Amino acid sequence: MTEISLILFIAATFLLAGFVKGVIGLGLPTIAIGILGVVMAPAQAAALLAVPNLVTNGWQIATGPGLRAILIRLWPMLAGICAGTWIGADLLEQQKNGSATLWLGIALVAYALIGLKAAKLRVPRIAEGWLAPLIGLATGVATAATGVFVLPAVPYLQSLGLDKDELVQALGVSFIVSTLALSVGLLGAGALDARIAWHSALALVPALIGMVVGTRVRSLISPPTFKLCFFAGLLVLGLYLVLRAAPWSL
């Protein structure tokens, strides 16, 4: 692949990933790492995502209804995400056979099918105190292994009974903390340097364009339609990860 072809490939990837994130509040790292994995190592793809992740999630947080309340409620999970990501800091560099990504995809598919069947997962408020740090820790380790911030944080946040805008803001908070924690790990592993950071900044442009369009689409849809898009998006992301990481695709 020539340099120009690679640049166009990366731009198209971030445009698509930004659009999906704008519609359902997640999917940027999942799609980008999955597609970029065709032409680069997972750790390189995760490093390229650093700036787009930070900015798009910052925007997602800023446009939400109540950041202070979200932070107060989620800080135990966020602390767990940092701890889990740093504990598993070397996992992304070591992953060669894609097994972690495969299991992540399978879990996403299972959760999406449950959601599409209208099964309601609810976490009692009294259980959040002890469950949130465990969810965060598990999410951090999964992030370190795959570069994707989805499980089990997304099902947990969806089970808190937030409305669509609160959920999107809570996802943004979770993802920006995961991005910062993963970036620290990538810096320590030598996968993120000034050159990669500059390339990551350039990738921000198509990601933002896609997100603007996707956010506009989200503003036009009803809560039931958003819920359908949310779980359908998770299902597609999960199937994509399975197909990319399954043994028969190697």
Side-chain angles (χ1 to χ4, degrees), residues 183-201:
S183 296
V184 171
L186 290 170
L187 280 168
L192 180 59
D193 55 26
R195 182 179 62 85
I196 295 297
W198 170 243
H199 292 166
S200 180

Side-chain angles (χ1 to χ4, degrees), residues 61-128:
I61 292 168
T63 56
L67 178 58
R68 184 173 181 272
I70 290 290
L71 289 174
I72 291 173
R73 189 170 184 182
L74 297 185
W75 75 262
M77 185 191 78
L78 301 177
I81 287 174
C82 293
T85 303
W86 296 332
I87 288 170
D90 294 329
L91 292 177
L92 189 61
E93 284 280 358
Q94 295 171 0
Q95 187 188 183
K96 302 298 182 184
N97 61 6
S99 58
T101 301
L102 174 61
W103 287 109
L104 176 66
I106 291 171
L108 267 180
V109 169
Y111 173 62
L113 291 175
I114 291 172
L116 289 171
K117 284 184 171 290
K120 293 184 178 180
L121 302 177
R122 284 289 181 266
V123 173
R125 193 69 180 251
I126 194 172
E128 290 181 29

Side-chain angles (χ1 to χ4, degrees), residues 104-203:
L104 176 66
I106 291 171
L108 267 180
V109 169
Y111 173 62
L113 291 175
I114 291 172
L116 289 171
K117 284 184 171 290
K120 293 184 178 180
L121 302 177
R122 284 289 181 266
V123 173
R125 193 69 180 251
I126 194 172
E128 290 181 29
W130 63 266
L131 184 58
L134 298 178
I135 293 292
L137 191 66
T139 300
V141 172
T143 295
T146 65
V148 177
F149 319 137
V150 178
L151 289 177
V154 170
Y156 173 76
L157 292 174
Q158 201 273 334
S159 72
L160 298 181
L162 305 171
D163 66 32
K164 74 171 184 177
D165 292 326
E166 289 174 332
L167 176 60
V168 169
Q169 185 177 41
L171 289 169
V173 170
S174 173
F175 296 157
I176 202 169
V177 170
S178 296
T179 299
L180 289 169
L182 183 61
S183 296
V184 171
L186 290 170
L187 280 168
L192 180 59
D193 55 26
R195 182 179 62 85
I196 295 297
W198 170 243
H199 292 166
S200 180
L202 294 177

